[in-house]
Coordinates of all heavy atoms in Angstrom, one line a residue:
M12 N -185.9 -84.4 139.9 CA -187.2 -84.4 140.4 C -187.9 -85.8 140.3 O -187.8 -86.3 139.2 CB -188.0 -83.3 139.9 CG -189.5 -83.2 140.4 SD -190.4 -81.8 139.8 CE -189.4 -80.6 140.6
P13 N -188.5 -86.4 141.3 CA -189.0 -87.7 141.1 C -190.2 -87.8 140.1 O -190.8 -86.7 139.9 CB -189.6 -88.0 142.5 CG -188.8 -87.2 143.4 CD -188.4 -86.0 142.7
H14 N -190.4 -88.8 139.4 CA -191.3 -89.0 138.3 C -192.3 -90.2 138.9 O -191.9 -91.3 139.1 CB -190.6 -89.5 137.1 CG -191.4 -89.6 135.9 ND1 -192.1 -88.5 135.3 CD2 -191.7 -90.7 135.1 CE1 -192.8 -88.9 134.3 NE2 -192.5 -90.2 134.1
H15 N -193.6 -89.8 139.0 CA -194.5 -90.7 139.6 C -195.6 -91.1 138.5 O -196.0 -90.2 137.7 CB -195.3 -90.2 140.7 CG -194.4 -89.6 141.8 ND1 -193.7 -90.3 142.7 CD2 -194.0 -88.3 142.1 CE1 -192.9 -89.6 143.5 NE2 -193.1 -88.3 143.1
L16 N -196.0 -92.3 138.4 CA -197.0 -92.8 137.5 C -197.7 -94.0 137.9 O -197.2 -94.8 138.7 CB -196.4 -92.9 136.1 CG -195.4 -94.0 135.9 CD1 -195.9 -95.1 135.0 CD2 -194.1 -93.5 135.2
T17 N -198.9 -94.2 137.3 CA -199.5 -95.5 137.3 C -199.7 -96.0 135.9 O -200.0 -95.2 135.1 CB -200.9 -95.4 138.1 OG1 -201.7 -94.4 137.4 CG2 -200.7 -95.1 139.6
A18 N -199.6 -97.3 135.8 CA -199.9 -97.9 134.5 C -200.9 -99.0 134.7 O -200.9 -99.8 135.6 CB -198.5 -98.6 133.9
H19 N -202.0 -98.9 133.8 CA -203.1 -99.8 133.9 C -202.8 -100.8 132.7 O -202.7 -100.4 131.6 CB -204.3 -99.1 133.7 CG -204.6 -98.2 134.8 ND1 -205.5 -98.4 135.8 CD2 -204.1 -96.9 135.1 CE1 -205.5 -97.4 136.7 NE2 -204.7 -96.4 136.2
I20 N -202.7 -102.1 133.1 CA -202.4 -103.1 132.0 C -203.5 -104.2 132.2 O -204.1 -104.3 133.1 CB -201.0 -103.7 132.1 CG1 -200.8 -104.4 133.4 CG2 -200.0 -102.5 132.0 CD1 -199.4 -105.1 133.5
R21 N -203.6 -104.9 131.0 CA -204.4 -106.2 131.1 C -203.8 -107.3 130.4 O -202.8 -107.0 129.6 CB -205.8 -105.9 130.5 CG -205.8 -105.6 129.0 CD -207.2 -105.4 128.5 NE -207.3 -105.0 127.1 CZ -207.2 -105.8 126.1 NH1 -207.1 -107.2 126.2 NH2 -207.2 -105.3 124.8
T22 N -204.2 -108.5 130.6 CA -203.6 -109.6 130.0 C -203.9 -109.6 128.5 O -205.0 -109.2 128.1 CB -204.0 -111.0 130.6 OG1 -205.5 -111.1 130.5 CG2 -203.6 -111.1 132.1
T23 N -203.0 -110.1 127.6 CA -203.4 -110.3 126.3 C -204.3 -111.5 126.0 O -204.3 -112.4 126.9 CB -202.1 -110.4 125.4 OG1 -201.3 -111.5 125.9 CG2 -201.3 -109.1 125.5
E24 N -204.9 -111.6 124.9 CA -205.7 -112.7 124.6 C -205.0 -114.0 124.7 O -204.0 -114.2 124.2 CB -206.4 -112.5 123.2 CG -207.3 -113.6 122.8 CD -208.7 -113.4 123.4 OE1 -209.0 -112.3 123.8 OE2 -209.4 -114.4 123.7
G25 N -205.6 -114.9 125.5 CA -204.9 -116.3 125.6 C -203.9 -116.4 126.7 O -203.4 -117.5 127.0
S26 N -203.6 -115.3 127.5 CA -202.6 -115.3 128.4 C -203.3 -115.8 129.7 O -204.4 -115.4 130.1 CB -201.9 -113.9 128.7 OG -201.2 -113.5 127.7
D27 N -202.6 -116.7 130.4 CA -203.1 -117.3 131.7 C -202.8 -116.3 132.8 O -201.7 -116.0 133.1 CB -202.4 -118.7 132.0 CG -202.8 -119.2 133.4 OD1 -203.9 -119.3 133.6 OD2 -201.9 -119.4 134.1
P28 N -203.8 -115.9 133.5 CA -203.6 -114.8 134.6 C -202.6 -115.3 135.7 O -201.9 -114.5 136.2 CB -205.0 -114.6 135.2 CG -206.0 -114.8 134.0 CD -205.3 -116.0 133.3
D29 N -202.6 -116.5 136.0 CA -201.6 -117.0 137.0 C -200.2 -116.9 136.5 O -199.3 -116.6 137.3 CB -202.0 -118.5 137.4 CG -203.3 -118.7 138.2 OD1 -203.6 -117.6 138.9 OD2 -204.0 -119.6 138.1
S30 N -200.0 -117.2 135.2 CA -198.7 -117.1 134.6 C -198.2 -115.6 134.6 O -197.1 -115.2 134.9 CB -198.6 -117.7 133.2 OG -198.9 -119.0 133.3
V31 N -199.2 -114.8 134.2 CA -199.0 -113.4 134.3 C -198.6 -112.9 135.6 O -197.6 -112.2 135.7 CB -200.2 -112.5 133.7 CG1 -200.0 -111.1 133.8 CG2 -200.5 -113.0 132.3
R32 N -199.3 -113.3 136.7 CA -199.0 -112.9 138.1 C -197.5 -113.3 138.3 O -196.8 -112.6 139.0 CB -200.0 -113.6 139.0 CG -201.2 -112.9 139.2 CD -202.1 -113.7 140.1 NE -201.5 -114.0 141.4 CZ -201.6 -113.2 142.4 NH1 -202.4 -112.2 142.5 NH2 -201.1 -113.5 143.6
R33 N -197.1 -114.6 138.0 CA -195.8 -114.9 138.3 C -194.7 -114.2 137.6 O -193.7 -113.7 138.2 CB -195.6 -116.5 137.9 CG -196.2 -117.4 138.9 CD -195.8 -118.8 138.7 NE -196.2 -119.3 137.3 CZ -197.4 -119.9 137.0 NH1 -198.4 -119.9 138.0 NH2 -197.7 -120.2 135.8
E34 N -195.0 -113.9 136.3 CA -194.0 -113.1 135.6 C -193.9 -111.6 136.1 O -192.9 -111.0 136.2 CB -194.3 -113.1 134.1 CG -194.1 -114.5 133.5 CD -192.6 -115.0 133.5 OE1 -191.7 -114.1 133.6 OE2 -192.4 -116.1 133.4
L35 N -195.1 -111.0 136.4 CA -195.2 -109.7 137.0 C -194.5 -109.6 138.3 O -193.8 -108.6 138.7 CB -196.5 -109.2 137.1 CG -197.2 -108.8 135.8 CD1 -198.7 -108.5 136.0 CD2 -196.5 -107.6 135.1
A36 N -194.6 -110.6 139.1 CA -193.9 -110.7 140.5 C -192.4 -110.7 140.3 O -191.7 -110.0 141.0 CB -194.3 -111.9 141.2
Q37 N -191.9 -111.4 139.3 CA -190.5 -111.4 139.0 C -190.0 -110.1 138.4 O -189.0 -109.6 138.8 CB -190.1 -112.5 138.0 CG -188.6 -112.7 137.8 CD -187.9 -113.1 139.0 OE1 -188.2 -114.1 139.6 NE2 -186.9 -112.2 139.3
L38 N -190.8 -109.5 137.6 CA -190.5 -108.1 137.0 C -190.5 -107.1 138.2 O -189.5 -106.3 138.3 CB -191.5 -107.7 136.0 CG -191.4 -106.3 135.4 CD1 -190.0 -106.2 134.7 CD2 -192.5 -105.9 134.7
Q39 N -191.5 -107.3 139.1 CA -191.4 -106.3 140.2 C -190.1 -106.5 141.1 O -189.5 -105.5 141.5 CB -192.6 -106.6 141.1 CG -192.7 -105.7 142.4 CD -194.0 -106.0 143.1 OE1 -195.1 -105.5 142.6 NE2 -193.9 -106.6 144.2
A40 N -189.8 -107.7 141.5 CA -188.6 -108.0 142.2 C -187.3 -107.4 141.6 O -186.4 -106.8 142.1 CB -188.5 -109.4 142.5
D41 N -187.2 -107.7 140.2 CA -186.0 -107.2 139.5 C -186.0 -105.7 139.4 O -184.9 -105.2 139.6 CB -185.9 -107.9 138.1 CG -185.7 -109.3 138.2 OD1 -185.2 -109.9 139.2 OD2 -186.0 -110.1 137.2
T42 N -187.1 -105.1 139.1 CA -187.2 -103.6 138.9 C -186.9 -102.9 140.2 O -186.2 -101.9 140.1 CB -188.5 -103.3 138.4 OG1 -188.8 -103.9 137.1 CG2 -188.7 -101.7 138.2
Q43 N -187.4 -103.4 141.3 CA -187.1 -102.7 142.6 C -185.6 -102.6 142.9 O -185.2 -101.8 143.7 CB -187.9 -103.4 143.8 CG -189.3 -103.2 143.7 CD -190.2 -104.1 144.6 OE1 -189.6 -105.1 145.2 NE2 -191.4 -103.7 144.9
K44 N -184.7 -103.3 142.3 CA -183.3 -103.4 142.5 C -182.6 -102.3 141.6 O -181.5 -102.0 141.8 CB -182.7 -104.7 142.1 CG -183.2 -105.7 143.1 CD -182.6 -107.2 142.7 CE -183.3 -108.3 143.4 NZ -182.9 -109.6 142.9
E45 N -183.3 -101.7 140.7 CA -182.8 -100.7 139.8 C -182.4 -99.5 140.6 O -183.2 -99.0 141.4 CB -183.7 -100.3 138.6 CG -184.0 -101.5 137.7 CD -185.0 -101.1 136.6 OE1 -185.0 -99.9 136.2 OE2 -185.7 -102.0 136.2
A46 N -181.3 -98.9 140.2 CA -180.8 -97.7 140.9 C -181.8 -96.5 140.9 O -181.9 -95.8 141.8 CB -179.4 -97.2 140.3
G47 N -182.4 -96.3 139.8 CA -183.4 -95.2 139.7 C -184.8 -95.4 140.2 O -185.7 -94.5 140.1
C48 N -185.0 -96.6 140.7 CA -186.5 -97.0 141.1 C -186.6 -96.6 142.6 O -185.9 -97.0 143.5 CB -186.6 -98.6 140.9 SG -188.3 -99.1 141.5
L49 N -187.6 -95.8 142.9 CA -188.0 -95.4 144.2 C -189.2 -96.4 144.8 O -189.2 -96.8 145.8 CB -188.5 -94.0 144.3 CG -187.5 -93.0 143.8 CD1 -188.1 -91.6 143.8 CD2 -186.3 -93.0 144.8
T50 N -190.1 -96.7 143.8 CA -191.3 -97.5 144.1 C -191.7 -98.2 142.9 O -191.8 -97.6 141.8 CB -192.5 -96.7 144.6 OG1 -192.1 -96.0 145.8 CG2 -193.7 -97.7 144.9
F51 N -191.9 -99.5 142.9 CA -192.5 -100.3 141.8 C -193.3 -101.4 142.4 O -192.8 -102.4 142.9 CB -191.4 -100.8 140.9 CG -191.8 -101.4 139.6 CD1 -192.0 -100.6 138.5 CD2 -192.1 -102.7 139.4 CE1 -192.5 -101.1 137.3 CE2 -192.6 -103.3 138.3 CZ -192.8 -102.4 137.2
Q52 N -194.6 -101.1 142.4 CA -195.5 -102.3 143.0 C -196.6 -102.6 142.0 O -197.0 -101.7 141.3 CB -196.2 -101.7 144.3 CG -195.2 -101.5 145.4 CD -195.9 -101.1 146.7 OE1 -196.5 -100.1 146.7 NE2 -195.8 -101.9 147.7
I53 N -197.0 -103.8 141.9 CA -198.0 -104.2 141.0 C -199.2 -104.9 141.7 O -198.9 -105.7 142.7 CB -197.4 -105.3 140.0 CG1 -196.2 -104.7 139.3 CG2 -198.5 -105.7 139.0 CD1 -195.5 -105.7 138.4
F54 N -200.4 -104.5 141.4 CA -201.6 -104.9 142.0 C -202.5 -105.5 141.0 O -202.7 -105.0 140.0 CB -202.2 -103.7 142.7 CG -201.4 -103.2 143.8 CD1 -200.5 -102.1 143.6 CD2 -201.5 -103.7 145.1 CE1 -199.7 -101.5 144.6 CE2 -200.7 -103.1 146.1 CZ -199.9 -102.1 145.8
Q55 N -203.1 -106.6 141.4 CA -204.1 -107.3 140.5 C -205.5 -106.9 141.0 O -205.8 -106.8 142.2 CB -204.0 -108.8 140.6 CG -204.9 -109.5 139.7 CD -204.6 -111.1 139.7 OE1 -204.2 -111.6 140.6 NE2 -204.9 -111.7 138.5
D56 N -206.4 -106.5 140.0 CA -207.7 -106.0 140.2 C -208.5 -107.3 140.8 O -208.5 -108.4 140.3 CB -208.4 -105.6 139.0 CG -209.7 -105.1 139.1 OD1 -210.6 -105.6 139.9 OD2 -210.1 -104.1 138.4
A57 N -209.0 -107.1 142.1 CA -209.7 -108.2 142.8 C -210.9 -108.6 142.0 O -211.4 -109.8 142.2 CB -210.0 -107.7 144.2
A58 N -211.6 -107.7 141.4 CA -212.8 -108.1 140.7 C -212.6 -108.6 139.2 O -213.5 -109.2 138.6 CB -213.7 -106.8 140.7
N59 N -211.5 -108.2 138.7 CA -211.2 -108.6 137.3 C -209.8 -109.1 137.2 O -208.8 -108.2 137.0 CB -211.4 -107.5 136.3 CG -211.3 -107.9 134.9 OD1 -210.8 -108.9 134.6 ND2 -211.8 -107.1 134.0
P60 N -209.4 -110.3 137.4 CA -208.0 -110.8 137.5 C -207.2 -110.6 136.2 O -206.1 -111.0 136.2 CB -208.2 -112.4 137.9 CG -209.6 -112.7 137.4 CD -210.4 -111.4 137.5
T61 N -207.8 -110.2 135.1 CA -207.0 -109.9 133.9 C -206.5 -108.5 133.8 O -205.8 -108.1 133.0 CB -207.9 -110.2 132.7 OG1 -208.9 -109.2 132.6 CG2 -208.3 -111.7 132.6
H62 N -206.9 -107.7 135.0 CA -206.3 -106.3 134.9 C -205.3 -106.1 136.1 O -205.6 -106.6 137.2 CB -207.6 -105.3 135.1 CG -208.3 -105.3 133.9 ND1 -209.3 -106.2 133.4 CD2 -208.3 -104.3 132.9 CE1 -209.8 -105.8 132.2 NE2 -209.3 -104.7 131.9
F63 N -204.4 -105.3 135.9 CA -203.3 -105.0 137.0 C -203.1 -103.5 136.9 O -203.2 -102.8 135.8 CB -202.1 -105.7 136.6 CG -202.2 -107.2 136.6 CD1 -202.7 -107.9 135.5 CD2 -201.8 -107.9 137.7 CE1 -202.8 -109.3 135.4 CE2 -202.0 -109.3 137.7 CZ -202.4 -110.0 136.6
V64 N -202.6 -103.0 138.0 CA -202.1 -101.6 138.1 C -200.7 -101.6 138.7 O -200.4 -102.2 139.6 CB -203.0 -100.7 139.1 CG1 -202.5 -99.3 139.2 CG2 -204.5 -100.7 138.5
L65 N -199.8 -100.8 138.0 CA -198.5 -100.7 138.4 C -198.3 -99.3 139.0 O -198.7 -98.4 138.5 CB -197.5 -100.8 137.2 CG -197.3 -102.1 136.7 CD1 -198.5 -102.7 135.9 CD2 -196.1 -102.1 135.6
W66 N -197.8 -99.2 140.3 CA -197.6 -97.9 141.0 C -196.1 -97.7 140.9 O -195.3 -98.6 141.4 CB -198.1 -98.0 142.4 CG -199.5 -98.0 142.6 CD1 -200.5 -97.9 141.6 CD2 -200.1 -98.1 143.9 NE1 -201.7 -97.9 142.2 CE2 -201.6 -98.1 143.6 CE3 -199.7 -98.2 145.2 CZ2 -202.5 -98.1 144.6 CZ3 -200.7 -98.2 146.2 CH2 -202.1 -98.2 145.9
E67 N -195.6 -96.7 140.3 CA -194.2 -96.5 140.0 C -193.8 -95.1 140.4 O -194.5 -94.1 140.2 CB -193.9 -96.7 138.6 CG -194.4 -98.0 138.0 CD -194.0 -98.1 136.5 OE1 -193.0 -97.6 136.0 OE2 -194.9 -98.6 135.7
S68 N -192.6 -95.0 141.0 CA -192.0 -93.8 141.3 C -190.5 -93.9 140.9 O -189.9 -94.9 141.3 CB -192.0 -93.3 142.8 OG -193.3 -92.9 143.1
W69 N -189.9 -93.0 140.2 CA -188.6 -93.0 139.6 C -187.8 -91.7 140.1 O -188.4 -90.7 140.3 CB -188.6 -93.2 138.1 CG -189.3 -94.4 137.7 CD1 -190.6 -94.6 137.4 CD2 -188.8 -95.7 137.6 NE1 -190.9 -95.9 137.1 CE2 -189.7 -96.7 137.2 CE3 -187.5 -96.2 137.7 CZ2 -189.6 -98.0 136.9 CZ3 -187.2 -97.6 137.4 CH2 -188.3 -98.4 137.1
T70 N -186.5 -91.9 140.2 CA -185.8 -90.7 140.5 C -185.9 -89.5 139.5 O -185.7 -88.3 139.8 CB -184.4 -90.9 140.7 OG1 -183.8 -91.6 139.6 CG2 -184.1 -91.9 141.9
S71 N -186.3 -89.9 138.2 CA -186.3 -88.9 137.2 C -187.0 -89.6 135.9 O -187.1 -90.9 135.9 CB -185.0 -88.4 136.8 OG -184.2 -89.5 136.1
P72 N -187.5 -88.9 135.0 CA -188.0 -89.5 133.7 C -187.0 -90.3 133.0 O -187.2 -91.4 132.5 CB -188.5 -88.4 132.8 CG -188.9 -87.3 133.9 CD -187.8 -87.5 135.0
D73 N -185.7 -89.9 133.1 CA -184.5 -90.7 132.5 C -184.4 -92.1 133.2 O -184.1 -93.0 132.5 CB -183.3 -89.9 132.6 CG -183.2 -88.7 131.7 OD1 -183.9 -88.7 130.7 OD2 -182.3 -87.8 131.9
A74 N -184.6 -92.1 134.5 CA -184.6 -93.4 135.2 C -185.6 -94.4 134.6 O -185.4 -95.6 134.4 CB -184.7 -93.3 136.7
L75 N -186.8 -93.8 134.3 CA -187.9 -94.7 133.7 C -187.4 -95.1 132.4 O -187.6 -96.2 132.0 CB -189.2 -93.9 133.7 CG -190.4 -94.6 133.0 CD1 -190.7 -96.0 133.6 CD2 -191.6 -93.7 132.9
D76 N -186.9 -94.2 131.5 CA -186.4 -94.6 130.3 C -185.4 -95.7 130.3 O -185.4 -96.7 129.5 CB -185.8 -93.4 129.5 CG -186.8 -92.4 129.1 OD1 -188.0 -92.7 129.0 OD2 -186.4 -91.2 128.8
Q77 N -184.5 -95.7 131.3 CA -183.5 -96.6 131.5 C -184.0 -98.0 131.9 O -183.5 -99.0 131.5 CB -182.4 -96.2 132.5 CG -181.6 -95.0 132.1 CD -180.7 -94.4 133.2 OE1 -180.5 -95.0 134.3 NE2 -180.1 -93.3 132.9
H78 N -185.1 -97.9 132.6 CA -185.8 -99.2 133.0 C -186.1 -100.0 131.8 O -186.0 -101.3 131.8 CB -187.1 -98.8 133.8 CG -188.1 -99.9 133.9 ND1 -187.9 -101.0 134.7 CD2 -189.4 -100.0 133.4 CE1 -189.0 -101.8 134.7 NE2 -189.8 -101.2 133.8
F79 N -186.5 -99.4 130.7 CA -186.9 -100.2 129.5 C -185.7 -100.7 128.8 O -185.9 -101.6 127.9 CB -187.7 -99.4 128.6 CG -189.2 -99.1 129.2 CD1 -189.5 -97.9 129.8 CD2 -190.1 -100.1 129.2 CE1 -190.7 -97.6 130.3 CE2 -191.4 -99.8 129.7 CZ -191.7 -98.6 130.3
E80 N -184.5 -100.4 129.2 CA -183.3 -100.9 128.6 C -182.7 -102.1 129.3 O -181.9 -102.9 128.8 CB -182.2 -99.9 128.5 CG -182.6 -98.6 127.7 CD -182.9 -98.9 126.3 OE1 -182.2 -99.7 125.7 OE2 -183.9 -98.4 125.7
H81 N -183.2 -102.4 130.5 CA -182.7 -103.4 131.4 C -183.2 -104.8 130.8 O -184.3 -105.0 130.2 CB -183.2 -103.4 132.8 CG -182.5 -102.4 133.6 ND1 -181.4 -102.6 134.2 CD2 -182.8 -101.1 133.9 CE1 -180.9 -101.5 134.8 NE2 -181.8 -100.5 134.6
E82 N -182.4 -105.8 130.9 CA -182.6 -107.1 130.4 C -183.9 -107.7 130.9 O -184.7 -108.3 130.2 CB -181.5 -108.1 130.7 CG -181.7 -109.4 130.0 CD -182.4 -110.4 130.9 OE1 -182.5 -110.3 132.1 OE2 -183.1 -111.3 130.4
H83 N -184.2 -107.6 132.3 CA -185.4 -108.2 132.8 C -186.7 -107.5 132.3 O -187.7 -108.1 132.1 CB -185.4 -108.1 134.4 CG -185.2 -106.7 134.9 ND1 -184.1 -106.2 135.2 CD2 -186.2 -105.7 135.2 CE1 -184.2 -105.0 135.8 NE2 -185.4 -104.7 135.7
T84 N -186.7 -106.2 132.0 CA -187.7 -105.5 131.4 C -188.0 -106.0 129.9 O -189.2 -106.3 129.5 CB -187.6 -104.0 131.4 OG1 -187.4 -103.6 132.8 CG2 -188.8 -103.3 131.0
Q85 N -186.9 -106.0 129.2 CA -187.1 -106.5 127.8 C -187.5 -108.0 127.7 O -188.3 -108.3 126.9 CB -185.7 -106.3 127.1 CG -185.4 -104.9 126.9 CD -184.1 -104.6 126.1 OE1 -183.5 -105.6 125.7 NE2 -183.8 -103.4 125.9
R86 N -187.0 -108.7 128.7 CA -187.5 -110.1 128.7 C -189.0 -110.2 128.9 O -189.7 -110.9 128.2 CB -186.7 -110.9 129.8 CG -187.0 -112.5 129.8 CD -186.6 -113.2 131.0 NE -187.4 -113.0 132.2 CZ -188.5 -113.6 132.4 NH1 -189.0 -114.4 131.5 NH2 -189.1 -113.3 133.5
Y87 N -189.5 -109.5 129.9 CA -190.9 -109.5 130.2 C -191.7 -109.0 129.0 O -192.7 -109.7 128.7 CB -191.3 -108.7 131.5 CG -192.7 -108.6 131.7 CD1 -193.4 -109.7 132.3 CD2 -193.5 -107.6 131.2 CE1 -194.8 -109.7 132.4 CE2 -194.9 -107.6 131.3 CZ -195.5 -108.6 131.9 OH -196.9 -108.7 132.0
M88 N -191.3 -108.0 128.5 CA -192.1 -107.4 127.3 C -192.1 -108.3 126.1 O -193.1 -108.4 125.4 CB -191.5 -106.0 126.9 CG -191.7 -105.0 128.1 SD -191.1 -103.4 127.7 CE -192.3 -102.9 126.5
A89 N -191.0 -109.1 125.9 CA -191.0 -110.1 124.9 C -192.0 -111.2 125.1 O -192.4 -111.8 124.0 CB -189.6 -110.6 124.6
L90 N -192.5 -111.5 126.3 CA -193.4 -112.5 126.5 C -194.8 -112.1 126.0 O -195.6 -113.0 125.8 CB -193.5 -112.8 128.0 CG -192.2 -113.4 128.7 CD1 -192.4 -113.4 130.2 CD2 -191.8 -114.8 128.1
N91 N -195.0 -110.8 125.8 CA -196.3 -110.4 125.3 C -197.5 -110.9 126.1 O -198.5 -111.3 125.6 CB -196.4 -110.8 123.8 CG -197.5 -110.0 123.1 OD1 -197.8 -108.8 123.5 ND2 -198.2 -110.5 122.2
L92 N -197.4 -110.8 127.5 CA -198.4 -111.4 128.3 C -199.5 -110.3 128.6 O -200.6 -110.6 129.0 CB -197.8 -111.8 129.6 CG -197.0 -113.0 129.5 CD1 -196.3 -113.4 130.8 CD2 -197.7 -114.3 129.0
T93 N -199.0 -109.0 128.6 CA -200.0 -107.9 128.8 C -199.8 -106.8 127.9 O -198.8 -106.7 127.1 CB -199.6 -107.4 130.3 OG1 -198.3 -107.0 130.4 CG2 -199.9 -108.4 131.3
Q94 N -200.8 -105.9 127.9 CA -200.7 -104.7 127.1 C -201.2 -103.5 127.9 O -202.0 -103.7 128.8 CB -201.6 -104.8 125.8 CG -203.0 -105.1 126.0 CD -203.7 -105.2 124.7 OE1 -203.2 -106.0 123.9 NE2 -204.8 -104.6 124.5
V95 N -200.7 -102.4 127.6 CA -201.0 -101.1 128.5 C -202.3 -100.6 128.0 O -202.5 -100.5 126.7 CB -199.9 -100.1 128.2 CG1 -200.2 -98.8 128.9 CG2 -198.5 -100.7 128.7
E96 N -203.1 -100.3 128.9 CA -204.4 -99.6 128.6 C -204.3 -98.1 128.8 O -204.9 -97.4 128.1 CB -205.5 -100.2 129.4 CG -205.9 -101.6 129.0 CD -207.2 -102.0 129.7 OE1 -207.4 -101.8 130.9 OE2 -208.0 -102.8 129.0
K97 N -203.6 -97.7 129.9 CA -203.6 -96.3 130.3 C -202.3 -96.1 131.1 O -202.1 -96.9 132.0 CB -204.8 -95.9 131.0 CG -204.9 -94.5 131.4 CD -206.2 -94.1 131.9 CE -206.5 -94.7 133.3 NZ -207.7 -94.2 133.9
I98 N -201.7 -95.0 131.0 CA -200.6 -94.5 131.8 C -201.0 -93.1 132.3 O -201.4 -92.2 131.5 CB -199.2 -94.5 131.1 CG1 -198.8 -95.8 130.7 CG2 -198.2 -93.7 131.9 CD1 -197.6 -95.9 129.9
V99 N -200.9 -92.9 133.7 CA -201.2 -91.6 134.1 C -200.0 -91.2 134.9 O -199.5 -91.8 135.9 CB -202.4 -91.7 135.1 CG1 -202.7 -90.3 135.8 CG2 -203.6 -92.2 134.4
V100 N -199.5 -90.0 134.6 CA -198.4 -89.3 135.4 C -199.0 -88.5 136.4 O -199.9 -87.7 136.2 CB -197.4 -88.4 134.4 CG1 -196.4 -87.8 135.1 CG2 -196.9 -89.4 133.3
H101 N -198.4 -88.6 137.6 CA -198.9 -87.9 138.9 C -198.0 -86.8 139.3 O -196.7 -87.0 139.3 CB -199.2 -88.9 139.9 CG -200.2 -90.0 139.5 ND1 -201.5 -89.8 139.5 CD2 -199.9 -91.2 139.1 CE1 -202.0 -90.9 139.0 NE2 -201.1 -91.8 138.8
T102 N -198.4 -85.7 139.9 CA -197.7 -84.7 140.5 C -198.2 -84.6 142.0 O -199.4 -84.6 142.2 CB -198.0 -83.4 139.8 OG1 -197.6 -83.5 138.4 CG2 -197.1 -82.3 140.4
P103 N -197.3 -84.6 142.9 CA -197.7 -84.5 144.4 C -198.4 -83.1 144.5 O -198.1 -82.1 143.9 CB -196.3 -84.4 145.1 CG -195.4 -85.2 144.2 CD -195.8 -84.8 142.8
V104 N -199.4 -83.1 145.4 CA -200.2 -81.9 145.7 C -199.4 -80.8 146.2 O -199.8 -79.6 146.1 CB -201.4 -82.2 146.6 CG1 -202.4 -83.2 145.9 CG2 -201.0 -82.7 147.9
N105 N -198.3 -81.0 146.9 CA -197.5 -80.0 147.3 C -196.3 -79.6 146.5 O -195.4 -78.8 146.9 CB -196.8 -80.4 148.8 CG -195.9 -81.6 148.6 OD1 -195.9 -82.3 147.6 ND2 -195.2 -81.9 149.6
Q106 N -196.5 -80.0 145.2 CA -195.4 -79.6 144.1 C -196.1 -78.7 143.2 O -197.2 -78.9 142.6 CB -194.9 -80.8 143.5 CG -193.9 -80.6 142.4 CD -193.5 -81.9 141.8 OE1 -193.2 -82.8 142.5 NE2 -193.3 -81.9 140.5
S107 N -195.4 -77.6 142.8 CA -195.9 -76.7 141.8 C -196.0 -77.3 140.5 O -195.1 -78.2 140.1 CB -194.9 -75.5 141.7 OG -195.4 -74.7 140.6
T108 N -197.0 -77.1 139.6 CA -197.2 -77.7 138.3 C -196.6 -76.7 137.3 O -196.7 -77.1 136.1 CB -198.7 -78.0 138.1 OG1 -199.4 -76.8 138.2 CG2 -199.1 -79.1 139.0
S109 N -196.2 -75.6 137.6 CA -195.6 -74.7 136.6 C -194.2 -74.8 136.4 O -193.5 -75.5 137.0 CB -196.0 -73.3 137.0 OG -195.5 -72.9 138.2

């Protein structure tokens, strides 16, 4: 069953938003090639350029777990350019929650 979520992130203290944008764009391009990735898009807040939202859909929760094992994900995380503020898991309205 697909796994859908949004992640709200912000730049860490001292990170340049333009550098963060470039690195996130590369992460997005690499992640979209992963076998378990259905959707992976990153948007920058137009009113606050230090905030970003990731829209993600994965084939399963395991596919998301595997995402964090990929070299490109580990490389991005090691840069420490952003930190997670909130993650929201979503269920389609036509899908039973029980």
Side-chain angles (χ1 to χ4, degrees):
M12 177 171 299
H14 185 63
H15 310 284
L16 63 109
T17 53
H19 299 256
I20 63 173
R21 67 175 174 84
T22 59
T23 54
E24 185 72 32
S26 294
D27 174 52
D29 291 331
S30 296
V31 174
R32 279 177 53 96
R33 282 191 300 275
E34 292 295 339
L35 285 171
Q37 185 62 57
L38 177 65
Q39 177 176 287
D41 292 339
T42 299
Q43 289 173 339
K44 297 174 189 171
E45 293 179 32
C48 179
L49 300 172
T50 302
F51 190 87
Q52 294 184 297
I53 304 173
F54 299 89
Q55 187 172 26
D56 186 324
N59 187 344
T61 64
H62 287 79
F63 299 83
V64 175
L65 288 67
W66 290 357
E67 307 179 37
S68 290
W69 300 90
T70 55
S71 67
D73 288 340
L75 175 59
D76 291 343
Q77 290 171 11
H78 164 67
F79 290 102
E80 300 302 318
H81 285 278
E82 184 276 331
H83 58 267
T84 305
Q85 291 184 3
R86 185 190 78 76
Y87 176 79
M88 294 181 72
L90 296 172
N91 196 35
L92 295 173
T93 56
Q94 63 186 41
V95 175
E96 290 192 320
K97 177 172 72 170
I98 295 175
V99 180
V100 176
H101 304 280
T102 303
V104 295
N105 64 346
Q106 178 179 317
S107 173
T108 59
S109 54

